[in-house]
Protein backbone atom coordinates (compact mmCIF):
# COMPACT_ATOMS: atom_id res chain seq x y z
CA UNK A 1 0.00 0.00 0.00
CA UNK A 2 1.35 3.45 -0.94
CA UNK A 3 0.73 6.88 0.60
CA UNK A 4 2.22 10.25 -0.26
CA UNK A 5 2.57 13.14 2.17
CA UNK A 6 4.10 16.55 1.46
CA UNK A 7 6.82 17.93 3.71
CA UNK A 8 9.59 20.50 3.12
CA UNK A 9 13.33 20.97 3.50
CA UNK A 10 15.71 23.91 3.36
CA UNK A 11 18.75 24.81 1.29
CA UNK A 12 20.39 28.04 2.37
CA UNK A 13 17.40 30.25 3.15
CA UNK A 14 15.23 28.73 0.43
CA UNK A 15 12.70 26.03 1.19
CA UNK A 16 11.79 23.23 -1.20
CA UNK A 17 8.91 20.79 -1.25
CA UNK A 18 9.61 17.15 -0.43
CA UNK A 19 7.22 14.32 -1.28
CA UNK A 20 7.37 11.63 1.41
CA UNK A 21 6.37 8.40 -0.33
CA UNK A 22 5.59 5.61 2.13
CA UNK A 23 5.13 2.05 0.89
CA UNK A 24 4.06 -0.75 3.28
CA UNK A 25 3.66 -4.43 2.37
CA UNK A 26 3.05 -7.76 4.07
CA UNK A 27 6.53 -9.10 4.56
CA UNK A 28 9.11 -9.54 7.31
CA UNK A 29 9.45 -6.30 9.28
CA UNK A 30 11.88 -3.80 7.76
CA UNK A 31 12.13 -0.01 7.74
CA UNK A 32 14.24 1.78 5.14
CA UNK A 33 14.51 5.46 4.27
CA UNK A 34 15.96 6.40 0.87
CA UNK A 35 16.23 9.63 -1.11
CA UNK A 36 19.65 10.98 -0.12
CA UNK A 37 18.95 11.38 3.64
CA UNK A 38 21.57 12.63 6.08
CA UNK A 39 22.23 11.02 9.47
CA UNK A 40 19.44 12.93 11.23
CA UNK A 41 16.91 11.74 8.65
CA UNK A 42 18.12 8.12 8.88
CA UNK A 43 17.71 8.21 12.66
CA UNK A 44 14.04 9.11 12.13
CA UNK A 45 13.30 5.37 12.01
CA UNK A 46 13.81 4.99 15.75
CA UNK A 47 12.07 8.26 16.64
CA UNK A 48 9.05 7.45 14.48
CA UNK A 49 8.64 3.90 15.80
CA UNK A 50 8.99 4.84 19.48
CA UNK A 51 6.78 7.94 19.17
CA UNK A 52 4.05 5.85 17.55
CA UNK A 53 4.06 3.29 20.36
CA UNK A 54 4.08 5.97 23.09
CA UNK A 55 1.12 7.64 21.42
CA UNK A 56 -0.88 4.48 22.08
CA UNK A 57 -0.85 3.23 18.48
CA UNK A 58 0.70 -0.11 17.58
CA UNK A 59 3.39 0.45 14.99
CA UNK A 60 2.53 -1.50 11.81
CA UNK A 61 4.57 -4.73 11.71
CA UNK A 62 5.14 -4.51 7.96
CA UNK A 63 7.96 -3.94 5.51
CA UNK A 64 8.20 -0.16 5.13
CA UNK A 65 10.09 1.77 2.47
CA UNK A 66 10.12 5.57 2.65
CA UNK A 67 11.36 7.62 -0.29
CA UNK A 68 12.04 11.35 0.02
CA UNK A 69 11.57 12.88 -3.42
CA UNK A 70 13.26 14.42 -5.31
CA UNK A 71 15.70 11.61 -4.60
CA UNK A 72 18.73 13.44 -6.04
CA UNK A 73 18.54 16.33 -3.57
CA UNK A 74 20.12 15.97 -0.14
CA UNK A 75 17.67 15.98 2.80
CA UNK A 76 18.89 17.31 6.13
CA UNK A 77 17.42 17.60 9.61
CA UNK A 78 14.52 16.12 11.52
CA UNK A 79 11.60 18.04 9.96
CA UNK A 80 10.35 14.96 8.05
CA UNK A 81 9.53 12.82 11.13
CA UNK A 82 5.84 13.73 11.39
CA UNK A 83 5.23 13.30 7.65
CA UNK A 84 6.89 9.86 7.66
CA UNK A 85 4.79 8.62 10.56
CA UNK A 86 1.61 10.06 9.08
CA UNK A 87 2.21 8.25 5.78
CA UNK A 88 2.85 4.92 7.54
CA UNK A 89 -0.25 5.28 9.72
CA UNK A 90 -2.34 6.04 6.66
CA UNK A 91 -1.14 2.79 5.10
CA UNK A 92 -2.18 1.01 8.30
CA UNK A 93 -5.65 2.58 8.28
CA UNK A 94 -5.15 4.69 11.41
CA UNK A 95 -5.60 7.80 9.24
CA UNK A 96 -8.62 7.23 7.03
CA UNK A 97 -7.83 6.66 3.35
CA UNK A 98 -10.54 9.08 2.22
CA UNK A 99 -8.71 11.94 3.95
CA UNK A 100 -7.07 14.04 1.24
CA UNK A 101 -3.43 14.96 1.90
CA UNK A 102 -2.74 16.42 -1.55
CA UNK A 103 -3.04 20.04 -0.42
CA UNK A 104 -1.41 19.65 3.01
CA UNK A 105 2.21 19.98 4.18
CA UNK A 106 3.38 18.26 7.39
CA UNK A 107 6.52 19.47 9.19
CA UNK A 108 7.95 18.59 12.57
CA UNK A 109 10.44 16.58 14.60
CA UNK A 110 9.01 13.84 16.81
CA UNK A 111 9.96 13.36 20.42
CA UNK A 112 9.82 9.85 21.83
CA UNK A 113 6.54 10.75 23.53
CA UNK A 114 4.88 11.62 20.22
CA UNK A 115 4.99 15.40 20.67
CA UNK A 116 6.14 17.66 17.85
CA UNK A 117 9.29 19.66 18.49
CA UNK A 118 10.18 22.88 16.72
CA UNK A 119 12.57 22.91 13.77
CA UNK A 120 14.81 25.52 12.17
CA UNK A 121 13.80 27.31 8.97
CA UNK A 122 10.04 26.91 9.35
CA UNK A 123 9.38 30.23 7.61
CA UNK A 124 11.37 29.13 4.55
CA UNK A 125 9.48 25.84 4.39
CA UNK A 126 6.12 27.56 4.76
CA UNK A 127 6.95 29.91 1.88
CA UNK A 128 7.91 26.91 -0.28
CA UNK A 129 4.62 25.15 0.53
CA UNK A 130 2.61 28.26 -0.35
CA UNK A 131 4.54 28.76 -3.61
CA UNK A 132 3.82 25.12 -4.52
CA UNK A 133 0.08 25.80 -4.25
CA UNK A 134 -0.62 23.92 -1.01
CA UNK A 135 -3.53 25.19 1.10
CA UNK A 136 -2.68 23.98 4.61
CA UNK A 137 0.51 23.45 6.60
CA UNK A 138 0.84 21.66 9.96
CA UNK A 139 3.83 22.67 12.08
CA UNK A 140 4.97 22.23 15.70
CA UNK A 141 3.11 24.46 18.12
CA UNK A 142 6.22 26.48 18.98
CA UNK A 143 6.77 27.31 15.28
CA UNK A 144 3.15 28.25 14.56
CA UNK A 145 3.44 32.02 15.10
CA UNK A 146 6.47 32.23 12.82
CA UNK A 147 4.84 30.19 10.05
CA UNK A 148 1.61 32.22 10.28
CA UNK A 149 3.49 35.30 9.06
CA UNK A 150 3.24 33.85 5.55
CA UNK A 151 0.07 35.02 3.84
CA UNK A 152 -2.04 32.80 1.60
CA UNK A 153 -1.77 29.47 3.44
CA UNK A 154 -3.63 28.15 6.50
CA UNK A 155 -1.23 27.36 9.36
CA UNK A 156 -2.07 24.91 12.16
CA UNK A 157 0.06 24.47 15.28
CA UNK A 158 0.23 20.82 16.37
CA UNK A 159 1.16 19.71 19.88
CA UNK A 160 1.40 15.96 19.24
CA UNK A 161 0.62 13.26 16.68
CA UNK A 162 -2.57 12.29 18.48
CA UNK A 163 -4.00 15.79 17.90
CA UNK A 164 -2.92 15.77 14.25
CA UNK A 165 -4.54 12.37 13.56
CA UNK A 166 -7.75 13.43 15.31
CA UNK A 167 -7.91 16.61 13.23
CA UNK A 168 -7.39 14.79 9.94
CA UNK A 169 -9.95 12.13 10.83
CA UNK A 170 -12.45 14.85 11.76
CA UNK A 171 -12.92 13.84 15.42
CA UNK A 172 -11.31 16.97 16.85
CA UNK A 173 -10.44 20.24 15.10
CA UNK A 174 -7.21 22.21 15.47
CA UNK A 175 -7.43 25.99 15.60
CA UNK A 176 -5.70 28.02 12.90
CA UNK A 177 -2.60 29.91 14.07
CA UNK A 178 -2.21 33.67 13.79
CA UNK A 179 0.95 35.73 13.43
CA UNK A 180 2.47 37.52 16.40
CA UNK A 181 4.63 40.60 15.98
CA UNK A 182 8.11 41.02 17.35
CA UNK A 183 10.72 38.61 18.61
CA UNK A 184 11.58 37.09 21.94
CA UNK A 185 14.31 39.72 22.40
CA UNK A 186 13.81 42.74 24.62
CA UNK A 187 14.68 45.86 22.68
CA UNK A 188 16.66 48.54 24.47
CA UNK A 189 15.60 52.12 24.03
CA UNK A 190 18.72 53.86 22.71
CA UNK A 191 18.56 57.48 21.62
CA UNK A 192 21.04 59.75 19.85
CA UNK A 193 20.18 62.45 22.37
CA UNK A 194 22.09 60.42 24.99
CA UNK A 195 25.39 61.08 23.19
CA UNK A 196 27.04 64.30 24.35
CA UNK A 197 28.65 66.54 21.76
CA UNK A 198 30.03 64.92 18.58
CA UNK A 199 27.71 66.88 16.26
CA UNK A 200 30.02 66.21 13.32
CA UNK A 201 29.94 62.45 13.98
CA UNK A 202 26.15 62.47 14.40
CA UNK A 203 25.82 64.21 11.06
CA UNK A 204 28.01 61.52 9.48
CA UNK A 205 25.86 58.79 11.06
CA UNK A 206 22.72 60.44 9.66
CA UNK A 207 24.25 60.48 6.18
CA UNK A 208 25.32 56.85 6.55
CA UNK A 209 21.78 55.84 7.56
CA UNK A 210 20.17 57.84 4.75
CA UNK A 211 22.39 56.29 2.08
CA UNK A 212 23.11 52.87 3.61
CA UNK A 213 26.83 53.73 3.61
CA UNK A 214 29.52 51.85 5.50
CA UNK A 215 31.21 54.02 8.12
CA UNK A 216 34.45 53.95 10.13
CA UNK A 217 34.72 55.81 13.46
CA UNK A 218 38.23 56.61 14.68
CA UNK A 219 38.98 58.30 17.98
CA UNK A 220 40.49 57.97 21.46
CA UNK A 221 38.76 55.91 24.16
CA UNK A 222 35.59 57.40 25.61
CA UNK A 223 34.62 59.65 22.71
CA UNK A 224 31.32 57.87 22.04
CA UNK A 225 32.16 55.56 19.13
CA UNK A 226 30.32 52.54 20.52
CA UNK A 227 27.40 54.67 21.74
CA UNK A 228 26.88 56.11 18.28
CA UNK A 229 27.16 52.71 16.59
CA UNK A 230 24.63 51.07 18.91
CA UNK A 231 22.14 53.87 18.25
CA UNK A 232 22.37 53.64 14.47
CA UNK A 233 19.39 51.20 14.17
CA UNK A 234 17.21 53.78 15.94
CA UNK A 235 17.50 56.17 12.97
CA UNK A 236 17.21 53.58 10.18
CA UNK A 237 13.89 53.24 8.31
CA UNK A 238 11.57 50.47 9.54
CA UNK A 239 11.70 47.10 7.82
CA UNK A 240 9.30 46.67 4.91
CA UNK A 241 7.27 43.45 4.84
CA UNK A 242 9.51 41.89 2.17
CA UNK A 243 12.65 42.86 4.12
CA UNK A 244 11.14 41.44 7.32
CA UNK A 245 10.35 38.13 5.59
CA UNK A 246 13.85 37.82 4.13
CA UNK A 247 15.58 38.81 7.38
CA UNK A 248 13.41 36.48 9.45
CA UNK A 249 14.19 33.60 7.09
CA UNK A 250 17.89 33.94 7.88
CA UNK A 251 17.33 34.06 11.64
CA UNK A 252 14.92 31.13 11.37
CA UNK A 253 17.46 28.97 9.51
CA UNK A 254 20.07 29.89 12.14
CA UNK A 255 17.69 28.89 14.94
CA UNK A 256 17.56 32.41 16.41
CA UNK A 257 13.78 32.76 16.55
CA UNK A 258 11.89 32.25 19.81
CA UNK A 259 8.70 30.30 20.46
CA UNK A 260 6.42 33.35 20.34
CA UNK A 261 8.24 35.10 17.51
CA UNK A 262 6.69 35.82 14.14
CA UNK A 263 8.47 38.40 11.99
CA UNK A 264 11.42 40.49 13.07
CA UNK A 265 10.09 43.95 13.81
CA UNK A 266 13.39 45.86 13.97
CA UNK A 267 16.57 45.88 11.94
CA UNK A 268 19.19 43.47 13.27
CA UNK A 269 22.28 44.77 15.05
CA UNK A 270 25.16 42.31 15.32
CA UNK A 271 28.31 43.04 17.31
CA UNK A 272 30.64 40.01 17.33
CA UNK A 273 33.83 39.88 19.42
CA UNK A 274 37.21 40.11 17.73
CA UNK A 275 38.08 36.53 18.81
CA UNK A 276 35.48 35.12 16.42
CA UNK A 277 36.44 32.72 13.64
CA UNK A 278 36.09 33.36 9.92
CA UNK A 279 33.34 30.73 9.67
CA UNK A 280 31.26 32.43 12.38
CA UNK A 281 31.59 35.71 10.48
CA UNK A 282 30.79 34.63 6.91
CA UNK A 283 28.96 31.37 7.63
CA UNK A 284 29.78 27.75 6.93
CA UNK A 285 30.01 24.34 8.58
CA UNK A 286 29.39 20.83 7.26
CA UNK A 287 25.76 21.79 6.72
CA UNK A 288 26.31 25.53 6.05
CA UNK A 289 24.56 27.98 8.35
CA UNK A 290 24.49 31.78 8.03
CA UNK A 291 27.24 33.77 9.75
CA UNK A 292 27.20 37.19 11.39
CA UNK A 293 27.24 39.05 8.07
CA UNK A 294 24.02 37.30 7.02
CA UNK A 295 22.40 37.67 10.44
CA UNK A 296 23.05 41.40 9.99
CA UNK A 297 21.23 41.40 6.61
CA UNK A 298 19.10 44.57 6.24
CA UNK A 299 20.68 45.83 9.45
CA UNK A 300 24.02 46.75 11.00
CA UNK A 301 27.24 44.80 11.55
CA UNK A 302 29.31 46.58 14.20
CA UNK A 303 32.98 45.63 14.53
CA UNK A 304 34.42 47.32 17.61
CA UNK A 305 38.20 47.59 17.93
CA UNK A 306 38.46 46.80 14.23
CA UNK A 307 42.29 46.40 14.05
CA UNK A 308 42.09 43.70 16.74
CA UNK A 309 40.26 41.41 14.31
CA UNK A 310 42.69 39.14 12.42
CA UNK A 311 43.41 40.51 8.96
CA UNK A 312 42.22 37.29 7.36
CA UNK A 313 38.78 37.85 8.93
CA UNK A 314 38.43 41.52 8.00
CA UNK A 315 39.59 40.83 4.44
CA UNK A 316 36.89 38.16 4.12
CA UNK A 317 34.39 41.05 4.21
CA UNK A 318 35.60 42.50 0.92
CA UNK A 319 33.59 40.31 -1.44
CA UNK A 320 30.34 40.31 0.64
CA UNK A 321 30.46 44.12 0.91
CA UNK A 322 30.66 44.31 -2.87
CA UNK A 323 28.20 41.57 -3.87
CA UNK A 324 25.72 41.76 -0.94
CA UNK A 325 25.69 37.95 -0.79
CA UNK A 326 28.02 35.12 0.20
CA UNK A 327 28.23 31.72 -1.48
CA UNK A 328 29.56 28.85 0.64
CA UNK A 329 30.76 25.78 -1.23
CA UNK A 330 31.14 22.36 0.37
CA UNK A 331 31.66 18.83 -0.98
CA UNK A 332 27.92 18.09 -0.80
CA UNK A 333 26.81 21.30 -2.51
CA UNK A 334 26.74 25.05 -2.12
CA UNK A 335 24.37 27.58 -0.62
CA UNK A 336 24.03 31.34 -0.98
CA UNK A 337 23.06 33.64 1.87
CA UNK A 338 22.17 37.33 1.40
CA UNK A 339 24.25 39.82 3.40
CA UNK A 340 23.25 43.40 2.51
CA UNK A 341 24.38 45.03 5.73
CA UNK A 342 25.80 48.36 6.86
CA UNK A 343 29.32 47.92 8.19
CA UNK A 344 30.18 50.14 11.16
CA UNK A 345 33.77 49.95 12.37
CA UNK A 346 35.22 51.61 15.46
CA UNK A 347 38.88 51.88 16.34
CA UNK A 348 41.49 53.84 18.26
CA UNK A 349 44.05 55.85 16.26
CA UNK A 350 46.88 53.78 17.78
CA UNK A 351 47.40 50.94 20.25
CA UNK A 352 47.51 53.17 23.33
CA UNK A 353 44.59 55.12 21.92
CA UNK A 354 45.88 58.66 22.31
CA UNK A 355 47.58 59.53 19.02
CA UNK A 356 46.68 63.17 18.29
CA UNK A 357 45.00 63.66 21.69
CA UNK A 358 45.15 67.32 22.85
CA UNK A 359 46.03 66.55 26.50
CA UNK A 360 47.11 62.90 26.75
CA UNK A 361 50.52 61.88 25.48
CA UNK A 362 50.69 59.03 22.97
CA UNK A 363 53.25 56.39 24.06
CA UNK A 364 53.46 54.76 20.63
CA UNK A 365 56.37 55.29 18.25
CA UNK A 366 55.42 56.50 14.74
CA UNK A 367 56.22 53.12 13.21
CA UNK A 368 53.99 51.44 15.81
CA UNK A 369 51.11 53.74 14.90
CA UNK A 370 51.60 52.93 11.21
CA UNK A 371 51.83 49.20 11.96
CA UNK A 372 48.65 49.29 14.05
CA UNK A 373 46.67 51.11 11.38
CA UNK A 374 48.05 48.96 8.56
CA UNK A 375 46.15 45.98 9.98
CA UNK A 376 43.27 47.28 7.89
CA UNK A 377 43.87 46.61 4.21
CA UNK A 378 43.42 49.31 1.59
CA UNK A 379 40.84 47.30 -0.41
CA UNK A 380 38.66 46.95 2.70
CA UNK A 381 38.88 50.65 3.55
CA UNK A 382 38.10 51.47 -0.07
CA UNK A 383 34.68 49.92 0.53
CA UNK A 384 33.97 52.16 3.53
CA UNK A 385 32.21 55.24 2.20
CA UNK A 386 32.50 57.45 5.30
CA UNK A 387 35.56 57.75 7.55
CA UNK A 388 35.44 60.22 10.43
CA UNK A 389 37.60 61.14 13.39
CA UNK A 390 35.95 61.75 16.75
CA UNK A 391 37.71 64.33 18.97
CA UNK A 392 37.89 64.01 22.75
CA UNK A 393 35.14 65.91 24.57
CA UNK A 394 35.66 69.00 26.69
CA UNK A 395 34.34 69.36 30.24
CA UNK A 396 31.75 71.87 29.04
CA UNK A 397 30.38 69.42 26.48
CA UNK A 398 30.09 66.61 29.02
CA UNK A 399 28.60 68.70 31.82
CA UNK A 400 26.07 70.65 29.73
CA UNK A 401 22.54 69.94 30.97
CA UNK A 402 21.04 70.52 27.55
CA UNK A 403 23.33 70.57 24.54
CA UNK A 404 20.44 70.74 22.06
CA UNK A 405 21.00 67.17 20.82
CA UNK A 406 18.27 65.83 18.56
CA UNK A 407 16.34 62.69 19.42
CA UNK A 408 16.58 59.63 17.18
CA UNK A 409 12.95 60.03 16.09
CA UNK A 410 13.69 63.45 14.59
CA UNK A 411 16.76 62.23 12.72
CA UNK A 412 14.88 59.16 11.55
CA UNK A 413 12.22 61.29 9.87
CA UNK A 414 14.89 63.01 7.77
CA UNK A 415 16.49 59.65 6.92
CA UNK A 416 13.16 58.22 5.76
CA UNK A 417 12.46 61.34 3.68
CA UNK A 418 15.91 61.15 2.05
CA UNK A 419 15.50 57.47 1.17
CA UNK A 420 12.06 58.14 -0.30
CA UNK A 421 13.56 61.00 -2.34
CA UNK A 422 16.20 58.61 -3.71
CA UNK A 423 13.72 55.80 -4.49
CA UNK A 424 11.26 58.17 -6.16
CA UNK A 425 14.05 59.50 -8.41
CA UNK A 426 14.52 56.02 -9.88
CA UNK A 427 10.82 55.13 -9.82
CA UNK A 428 9.91 58.27 -11.79
CA UNK A 429 12.60 57.66 -14.40
CA UNK A 430 10.87 56.08 -17.44
CA UNK A 431 14.25 54.97 -18.83
CA UNK A 432 15.60 53.49 -15.59
CA UNK A 433 17.86 50.48 -16.28
CA UNK A 434 16.51 46.98 -15.63
CA UNK A 435 16.96 45.92 -12.03
CA UNK A 436 17.10 49.47 -10.68
CA UNK A 437 13.75 48.92 -8.93
CA UNK A 438 15.71 46.86 -6.38
CA UNK A 439 17.82 49.88 -5.43
CA UNK A 440 16.69 51.12 -2.01
CA UNK A 441 19.60 53.37 -1.02
CA UNK A 442 22.49 55.22 -2.65
CA UNK A 443 25.10 52.77 -1.37
CA UNK A 444 23.66 50.26 -3.87
CA UNK A 445 24.34 52.47 -6.88
CA UNK A 446 26.82 50.92 -9.31
CA UNK A 447 29.00 52.89 -11.70
CA UNK A 448 26.34 53.04 -14.43
CA UNK A 449 23.67 54.31 -12.04
CA UNK A 450 26.11 56.81 -10.51
CA UNK A 451 26.69 58.34 -13.95
CA UNK A 452 22.93 58.48 -14.50
CA UNK A 453 21.74 59.91 -11.20
CA UNK A 454 24.72 61.75 -9.69
CA UNK A 455 24.43 64.90 -11.80
CA UNK A 456 26.88 67.63 -10.75
CA UNK A 457 26.54 71.39 -10.97
CA UNK A 458 29.45 73.28 -12.55
CA UNK A 459 30.89 74.24 -9.16
CA UNK A 460 30.59 70.68 -7.88
CA UNK A 461 32.29 69.30 -10.98
CA UNK A 462 35.21 71.73 -10.65
CA UNK A 463 35.64 70.93 -6.96
CA UNK A 464 35.59 67.16 -7.53
CA UNK A 465 38.08 67.48 -10.38
CA UNK A 466 40.51 69.32 -8.13
CA UNK A 467 40.02 66.83 -5.30
CA UNK A 468 40.61 63.87 -7.63
CA UNK A 469 43.99 65.27 -8.68
CA UNK A 470 45.21 66.41 -5.26
CA UNK A 471 43.94 63.45 -3.16
CA UNK A 472 44.88 60.70 -5.58
CA UNK A 473 41.46 59.07 -5.52
CA UNK A 474 41.02 55.59 -6.95
CA UNK A 475 38.14 54.81 -9.29
CA UNK A 476 36.25 53.27 -6.37
CA UNK A 477 37.10 56.30 -4.22
CA UNK A 478 35.73 58.61 -6.90
CA UNK A 479 32.44 56.67 -6.96
CA UNK A 480 32.42 56.69 -3.18
CA UNK A 481 32.57 60.48 -2.98
CA UNK A 482 29.77 60.76 -5.55
CA UNK A 483 27.52 58.30 -3.68
CA UNK A 484 27.97 60.15 -0.39
CA UNK A 485 27.43 63.51 -2.09
CA UNK A 486 24.23 62.14 -3.67
CA UNK A 487 22.96 61.20 -0.20
CA UNK A 488 23.84 64.63 1.21
CA UNK A 489 21.90 66.23 -1.66
CA UNK A 490 18.95 63.90 -0.98
CA UNK A 491 18.88 64.99 2.66
CA UNK A 492 18.72 68.57 1.40
CA UNK A 493 16.01 67.66 -1.13
CA UNK A 494 18.21 68.77 -4.04
CA UNK A 495 17.94 66.95 -7.41
CA UNK A 496 21.37 68.36 -8.37
CA UNK A 497 24.63 67.76 -6.49
CA UNK A 498 26.01 71.16 -5.58
CA UNK A 499 29.51 72.22 -4.59
CA UNK A 500 28.63 72.22 -0.87
CA UNK A 501 27.52 68.60 -1.11
CA UNK A 502 30.79 67.55 -2.78
CA UNK A 503 32.81 69.54 -0.22
CA UNK A 504 31.13 67.76 2.69
CA UNK A 505 31.52 64.35 1.04
CA UNK A 506 35.24 64.97 0.56
CA UNK A 507 35.57 65.69 4.30
CA UNK A 508 34.50 62.13 4.98
CA UNK A 509 37.28 60.84 2.74
CA UNK A 510 40.21 62.82 4.15
CA UNK A 511 40.79 60.80 7.32
CA UNK A 512 43.30 58.57 5.53
CA UNK A 513 45.54 61.59 4.90
CA UNK A 514 45.78 62.50 8.61
CA UNK A 515 46.61 59.16 10.24
CA UNK A 516 49.86 57.34 9.38
CA UNK A 517 49.38 53.85 7.97
CA UNK A 518 45.71 54.37 7.10
CA UNK A 519 45.49 54.53 3.32
CA UNK A 520 42.78 53.99 0.72
Amino acid sequence: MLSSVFSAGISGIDGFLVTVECNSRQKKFAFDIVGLPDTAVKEAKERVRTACENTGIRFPNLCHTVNLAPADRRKEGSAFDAAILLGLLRNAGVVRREVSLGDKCIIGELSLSGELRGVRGILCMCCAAKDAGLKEIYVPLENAAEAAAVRGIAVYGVKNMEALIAHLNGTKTLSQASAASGTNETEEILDFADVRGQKYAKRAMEIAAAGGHNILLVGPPGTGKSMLAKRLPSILPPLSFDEAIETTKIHSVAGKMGNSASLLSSRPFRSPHHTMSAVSLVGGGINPLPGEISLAHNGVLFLDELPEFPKQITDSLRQPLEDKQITITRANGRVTFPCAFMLVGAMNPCRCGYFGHPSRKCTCRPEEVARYMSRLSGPLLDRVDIQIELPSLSYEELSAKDDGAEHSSTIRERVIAARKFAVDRIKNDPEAPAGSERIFCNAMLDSALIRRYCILSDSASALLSAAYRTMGLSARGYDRVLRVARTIADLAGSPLIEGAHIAEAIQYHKLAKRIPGLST
Side-chain angles (χ1 to χ4, degrees):
M1 191 171 292
L2 178 66
S3 294
S4 293
V5 182
F6 288 118
S7 189
I10 52 174
S11 176
I13 65 165
D14 298 318
F16 61 95
L17 208 63
V18 174
T19 304
V20 181
E21 299 172 329
C22 303
N23 186 72
S24 303
R25 50 183 174 160
Q26 294 286 349
K27 203 174 180 181
K28 182 180 178 181
F29 178 79
F31 194 171
D32 294 308
I33 299 178
V34 297
L36 214 57
D38 71 350
T39 303
V41 180
K42 292 177 182 177
E43 290 175 348
K45 292 185 288 187
E46 299 305 322
R47 290 193 299 271
V48 164
R49 185 174 182 177
T50 308
C52 181
E53 293 172 350
N54 288 331
T55 303
I57 302 171
R58 183 175 176 272
F59 191 76
N61 190 25
L62 303 170
C63 177
H64 305 291
T65 303
V66 176
N67 178 49
L68 306 179
D72 61 347
R73 191 165 190 175
R74 187 170 178 81
K75 318 301 185 308
E76 301 169 354
S78 55
F80 310 107
D81 290 4
I84 292 172
L85 180 54
L86 189 65
L88 297 178
L89 292 180
R90 194 181 190 206
N91 287 344
V94 177
V95 178
R96 298 203 308 265
R97 294 293 299 181
E98 59 267 24
V99 174
S100 173
L101 299 178
D103 61 348
K104 299 175 178 62
C105 183
I106 316 297
I107 296 171
E109 174 188 331
L110 287 175
S111 70
L112 298 185
S113 64
E115 293 192 350
L116 267 67
R117 287 179 172 155
V119 295
R120 294 186 294 106
I122 199 71
L123 185 65
C124 314
M125 300 179 196
C126 192
C127 289
K130 188 205 75 170
D131 293 342
L134 302 188
K135 303 300 181 184
E136 299 175 4
I137 184 168
Y138 297 83
V139 302
L141 199 58
E142 63 185 86
N143 292 138
E146 181 185 337
V150 180
R151 302 165 182 170
I153 187 170
V155 177
Y156 295 91
V158 182
K159 184 178 181 181
N160 51 44
M161 284 302 298
E162 187 178 2
L164 177 59
I165 293 168
H167 174 82
L168 293 175
N169 284 335
T171 58
K172 192 174 181 180
T173 305
L174 293 171
S175 57
Q176 191 170 331
S178 58
S181 61
T183 69
N184 61 330
E185 300 176 357
T186 301
E187 294 184 16
E188 294 182 77
I189 301 175
L190 301 175
D191 199 302
F192 263 69
D194 299 333
V195 183
R196 295 291 181 179
Q198 303 297 4
K199 293 183 179 179
Y200 178 63
K202 289 179 182 178
R203 167 66 175 174
M205 296 295 280
E206 179 181 341
I207 295 169
H213 303 290
N214 303 318
I215 184 169
L216 175 64
L217 310 172
V218 183
T223 53
K225 302 185 294 295
S226 297
M227 287 186 70
L228 285 169
K230 291 175 181 178
R231 283 155 178 76
L232 181 58
S234 69
I235 64 172
L236 289 172
L239 286 169
S240 67
F241 179 76
D242 289 341
E243 286 178 320
I245 286 285
E246 190 174 38
T247 306
T248 305
K249 277 184 176 182
I250 298 171
H251 286 250
S252 177
V253 167
K256 302 294 184 182
M257 301 295 290
N259 294 353
S260 60
S262 181
L263 286 183
L264 289 174
S265 57
S266 57
R267 293 186 181 271
F269 179 87
R270 307 294 298 184
S271 180
H273 193 259
H274 62 260
T275 55
M276 71 187 307
S277 66
V279 169
S280 61
L281 179 66
V282 302
I286 298 175
N287 297 323
L289 291 175
E292 291 291 336
I293 61 173
S294 295
L295 292 171
H297 181 62
N298 290 324
V300 176
L301 177 67
F302 175 45
L303 301 184
D304 202 2
E305 303 297 341
L306 190 55
E308 298 300 331
F309 285 81
K311 197 167 185 178
Q312 176 189 1
I313 291 180
T314 55
D315 279 350
S316 68
L317 292 171
R318 287 156 56 176
Q319 181 263 335
L321 284 172
E322 198 76 20
D323 298 341
K324 308 300 182 185
Q325 63 180 21
I326 178 76
T327 299
I328 300 168
T329 304
R330 293 293 181 266
N332 56 0
R334 65 177 184 176
V335 296
T336 298
F337 296 112
C339 55
F341 60 91
M342 282 182 62
L343 174 64
V344 180
M347 59 185 291
N348 297 325
C350 65
R351 179 168 290 281
C352 77
Y354 295 104
F355 176 81
H357 196 279
S359 58
R360 297 286 296 272
K361 183 179 179 181
C362 175
T363 60
C364 303
R365 296 190 299 272
E367 59 270 21
E368 291 177 330
V369 177
R371 191 181 308 118
Y372 180 76
M373 302 302 292
S374 65
R375 293 184 180 184
L376 304 181
S377 67
L380 173 64
L381 289 173
D382 218 20
R383 289 165 170 82
V384 179
D385 293 345
I386 298 176
Q387 303 169 11
I388 60 168
E389 190 174 3
L390 279 69
S392 57
L393 298 175
S394 65
Y395 174 79
E396 289 73 21
E397 288 176 309
L398 286 173
S399 61
K401 293 183 178 180
D402 183 11
D403 63 353
E406 291 182 304
H407 289 280
S408 292
S409 56
T410 304
I411 302 173
R412 192 186 202 189
E413 289 177 3
R414 295 199 296 266
V415 168
I416 292 173
R419 288 211 178 189
K420 184 178 184 302
F421 189 87
V423 170
D424 288 346
R425 176 172 53 247
I426 298 176
K427 188 185 298 183
N428 298 331
D429 181 3
E431 299 180 2
S436 57
E437 68 278 359
R438 295 191 294 271
I439 303 295
F440 302 110
C441 58
N442 291 327
M444 301 174 71
L445 297 176
D446 59 22
S447 296
L449 293 174
I450 287 174
R451 289 192 296 271
R452 185 173 187 85
Y453 297 118
C454 295
I455 309 301
L456 303 175
S457 66
D458 292 341
S459 60
S461 180
L463 183 58
L464 183 57
S465 174
Y468 185 85
R469 290 192 300 270
T470 58
M471 296 174 63
L473 294 177
S474 65
R476 186 181 281 117
Y478 171 83
D479 287 349
R480 197 171 82 190
V481 170
L482 282 176
R483 279 195 294 262
V484 174
R486 179 65 271 172
T487 301
I488 296 170
D490 291 344
L491 282 165
S494 172
L496 200 64
I497 298 177
E498 303 288 352
H501 306 145
I502 287 289
E504 185 175 1
I506 291 171
Q507 292 299 313
Y508 300 125
H509 189 90
K510 290 173 61 178
L511 178 62
K513 308 302 176 184
R514 299 197 295 271
I515 299 181
L518 184 63
S519 60
T520 59

